[in-house]
Amino acid sequence: MDDGVVVRPSSSGDLRDACLWGLILAAAAAVRLYRLDGAALWYDEAFSRVMSTHSLGELWSISVSDVHPPLYYFVLKGWIALLGDGLIAMRGLSAFASVLTVGMGMWLTRLVSTRRAAVFAGILLVMLPIAVRYSHEVRMYALLAVWMTGAMIALVYWMKAPSRYMPLVVYALLITAGLYTHYFAILGILSHWLFLLAMRPMPNETAPRLILRSAWWLANLTIALLFLPWLPVFVAQLGQSSNLGWIHPVTLAAIPSALWQYLTLVNGAQWPALVRWAPVPVLAGICVLCLLRDMRPGRLSLLLVIYLWAPLLVIFVVSWQLPLFVARYFLFSALALPIILGIALDEVARKRTGLAAIGCLILIGIEAFGMRNLYGEYDTTNADGRETQERINLIAEWIDHRYQPTDQVVVLNYFWYPSLVYYSRHAGKPLLYAPRVQGSGAECVVYCRFKAPYASGQDDFYLESLNHLPAGTARVWLVDGADATDFQLTLPCQWRWADTQIRGDNRLRLYDVGQGGSRPCPTP
């Protein structure tokens, strides 16, 4: 029965489902492993890698300078201990998590709808561009999606059999893991509360509403107590809002832009207004269709609708005061989109199988366009819509092939430093140019010290003046962005330019230091 906690179809149905699900999961793995090392390790990923090199105790203490909780770094540290810190190995954690969410998404769909809806949802989850994009990143977004999707499954099991407490135990543990992975897990909790608040009582039901049951409140109290040890750090991090200065102010088009990024990885800003805004009314209409056709007890499709829209709407409102609206932060709730679309296709297929097939092909075509953007020459996801082409790996390779023992590499922007260190294979230690006189505003965007991921006392890689290079330096490699303007940078007069290389967004300049004095002069 669809209403029960456990669905037991016929043995032939079991075999058919197992084959279909196996094919879908195999496709999901293939898509996520394809060109897993295709993009260079960018700053956020290199940041994660450096964080994972610390002990668990150090991670706990230095995370106060980050904007995220530490669980992902703990998991990554263990993953690297098993598989190493190669690019494919590190990104493999997110790829593995993303494949899990495809299976879990089908499981969740099957709990709230039909077998056919689960297959439709699985097909759309395989190629969901935002899910594939962040399965290729050494960050916490795919792992958060595992915790939150698992929590949704546990919640549905409990709602179908409120007398059973084990689903709530699992729910509490998974939500706690989510909170220790990314703070947007709070939005998932809010979605669950909103659904239980809106959930209509079952016909002839005499027991208290689910939201009033002591087991539900006890589970949430347990979550709060488990998060309590981290609460002081969370409060301290709230004072680090300057770390979020890179997030653009929110606009009225933020929500349709996010929906387009889910499906295509581009925000649609350059498209005609009618196309740019289309996802909002179209998806809202699809959600209404699903709700009107859902005659099952509890109307669990409403849970998915709230889970998709509530995080977007809440952060949209909050971001007018404190910008937090970044599409990748919503990956966990974006997974509800293909599930809702799968349920809608199933409803259409009840009467018009051909129309449902056409709709599925159209959606696959839109996702294929997103996959094309993923593997295109430029990336539009790391800089909030601006095209980027990070090639710090090629810069490091160029240096390695020409490095001499008396060379010194100096990175002029902290954004490139951890990535360059990761790719460098020469014996020398790159230095980060960070004049002590700099420290805030536009100056710190280019020349400033890390607050994390390097623990206190590990600052021997800072260079406060280009006149204070290590003794014996004969040549200097300067690494920065291709569009950098040498903001407040002066070079010693005895330096002589030797070479410039441009690779994507990265620039490399080689100077002969010479034997002259150290009197500084403006950059030519």
Side-chain angles (χ1 to χ4, degrees):
M1 295 176 59
D2 288 340
D3 301 348
V5 177
V6 179
V7 179
R8 291 188 176 89
S10 64
S11 58
S12 61
D14 281 339
L15 180 60
R16 183 183 60 196
D17 285 355
C19 291
L20 281 173
W21 286 39
L23 288 173
I24 290 172
L25 290 175
V31 168
R32 282 149 181 77
L33 293 176
Y34 176 67
R35 292 181 60 179
L36 188 57
D37 60 346
L41 191 84
W42 74 296
Y43 172 78
D44 279 14
E45 295 182 282
F47 183 100
S48 297
R49 186 254 178 185
V50 176
M51 288 287 280
S52 70
T53 62
H54 297 294
S55 69
L56 299 183
E58 288 176 332
L59 265 175
W60 189 275
S61 61
I62 67 175
S63 288
V64 67
S65 297
D66 191 17
V67 294
H68 299 301
L71 181 58
Y72 174 76
Y73 304 127
F74 292 168
V75 175
L76 180 62
K77 182 178 181 64
W79 185 271
I80 289 175
L82 290 174
L83 300 177
D85 67 350
L87 192 55
I88 291 179
M90 290 194 297
R91 287 178 175 168
L93 173 58
S94 292
F96 175 69
S98 187
V99 174
L100 277 181
T101 57
V102 173
M104 296 169 74
M106 289 192 290
W107 184 4
L108 178 59
T109 309
R110 184 66 189 95
L111 287 172
V112 303
S113 189
T114 67
R115 293 181 188 173
R116 184 169 54 194
V119 172
F120 276 133
I123 292 171
L124 297 177
L125 281 165
V126 164
M127 288 180 53
L128 183 65
I130 194 170
V132 179
R133 167 64 182 85
Y134 292 103
S135 72
H136 289 191
E137 185 142 312
V138 190
R139 294 296 281 169
M140 65 284 297
Y141 313 115
L143 184 62
L144 175 65
V146 171
W147 305 139
M148 299 308 293
T149 307
M152 287 274 282
I153 292 171
L155 180 61
V156 171
Y157 269 101
W158 176 69
M159 287 189 294
K160 289 189 172 188
S163 61
R164 299 179 60 184
Y165 298 122
M166 185 53 65
L168 277 184
V169 172
V170 175
Y171 174 84
L173 293 176
L174 290 172
I175 288 293
T176 301
L179 289 172
Y180 275 99
T181 301
H182 196 285
Y183 296 129
F184 269 40
I186 295 171
L187 300 172
I189 302 172
L190 175 63
S191 300
H192 302 158
W193 276 87
L194 289 174
F195 171 72
L196 292 178
L197 189 63
M199 186 178 181
R200 296 177 181 176
M202 301 290 187
N204 302 320
E205 185 177 24
T206 58
R209 295 179 59 188
L210 293 179
I211 198 171
L212 299 177
R213 299 201 181 191
S214 58
W216 171 247
W217 286 83
L218 182 60
N220 283 268
L221 177 60
T222 301
I223 293 168
L225 291 175
L226 290 174
F227 189 71
L228 192 60
W230 185 253
L231 186 60
V233 180
F234 173 59
V235 173
Q237 287 178 332
L238 290 177
Q240 301 286 339
S241 59
S242 60
N243 290 345
L244 301 172
W246 58 273
I247 301 178
H248 292 189
V250 73
T251 67
L252 292 176
I255 290 179
S257 294
L259 294 172
W260 274 125
Q261 288 180 71
Y262 293 174
L263 294 169
T264 68
L265 296 180
V266 294
N267 59 22
Q270 306 304 318
W271 298 346
L274 185 63
V275 176
R276 185 180 184 185
W277 284 87
V280 175
V282 171
L283 292 176
I286 291 173
C287 289
V288 171
L289 170 67
C290 292
L291 294 176
L292 292 177
R293 295 294 183 88
D294 188 359
M295 296 293 105
R296 291 177 174 81
R299 301 185 71 181
L300 295 177
S301 59
L302 179 60
L303 173 61
L304 295 168
V305 171
I306 293 175
Y307 189 69
L308 172 66
W309 291 101
L312 287 170
L313 293 171
V314 169
I315 296 302
F316 175 76
V317 173
V318 171
S319 292
W320 290 99
Q321 180 65 34
L322 176 64
L324 292 172
F325 203 99
V326 181
R328 61 179 176 266
Y329 288 178
F330 299 104
L331 172 60
F332 71 97
S333 62
L335 298 179
L337 176 56
I339 296 176
I340 292 171
L341 293 174
I343 294 173
L345 288 172
D346 176 60
E347 291 294 338
V348 174
R350 292 176 186 271
K351 295 183 178 180
R352 297 174 178 263
T353 304
L355 183 60
I358 292 172
C360 186
L361 289 175
I362 291 173
L363 291 170
I364 291 174
I366 294 173
E367 290 186 335
F369 173 70
M371 296 296 290
R372 177 188 174 192
N373 292 329
L374 172 61
Y375 298 118
E377 183 178 1
Y378 296 96
D379 182 272
T380 59
T381 58
N382 289 345
D384 201 16
R386 180 174 61 86
E387 290 185 342
T388 59
Q389 191 182 43
E390 300 187 21
R391 299 292 184 268
I392 196 68
N393 56 325
L394 301 182
I395 294 293
E397 182 180 354
W398 182 272
I399 296 173
D400 289 342
H401 288 166
R402 294 158 181 82
Y403 187 83
Q404 299 176 9
T406 55
D407 286 358
Q408 179 60 58
V409 179
V410 178
V411 183
L412 299 180
N413 187 323
Y414 75 94
F415 185 84
W416 309 112
Y417 185 82
S419 299
L420 183 75
V421 171
Y422 174 79
Y423 283 111
S424 295
R425 298 294 179 263
H426 58 76
K429 184 174 185 177
L431 300 178
L432 174 63
Y433 181 56
R436 189 171 294 276
V437 295
Q438 315 295 343
S440 63
E443 296 172 352
C444 193
V445 171
V446 183
Y447 309 121
C448 69
R449 296 182 174 224
F450 290 96
K451 294 181 179 178
Y454 300 95
S456 60
Q458 299 183 4
D459 58 357
D460 57 335
F461 53 82
Y462 292 117
L463 181 67
E464 295 184 0
S465 171
L466 296 178
N467 296 294
H468 298 157
L469 294 170
T473 300
R475 301 193 308 172
V476 176
W477 301 87
L478 297 183
V479 179
D480 60 358
D483 59 352
T485 59
D486 286 340
F487 175 74
Q488 293 195 5
L489 176 69
T490 57
L491 302 180
C493 284
Q494 74 272 20
W495 286 20
R496 295 294 177 262
W497 172 86
D499 188 24
T500 296
Q501 295 291 324
I502 303 292
R503 298 291 185 273
D505 291 343
N506 302 102
R507 177 174 63 175
L508 175 66
R509 289 175 286 177
L510 175 64
Y511 288 88
D512 292 317
V513 172
Q515 302 299 322
S518 59
R519 179 175 58 86
C521 59
T523 303

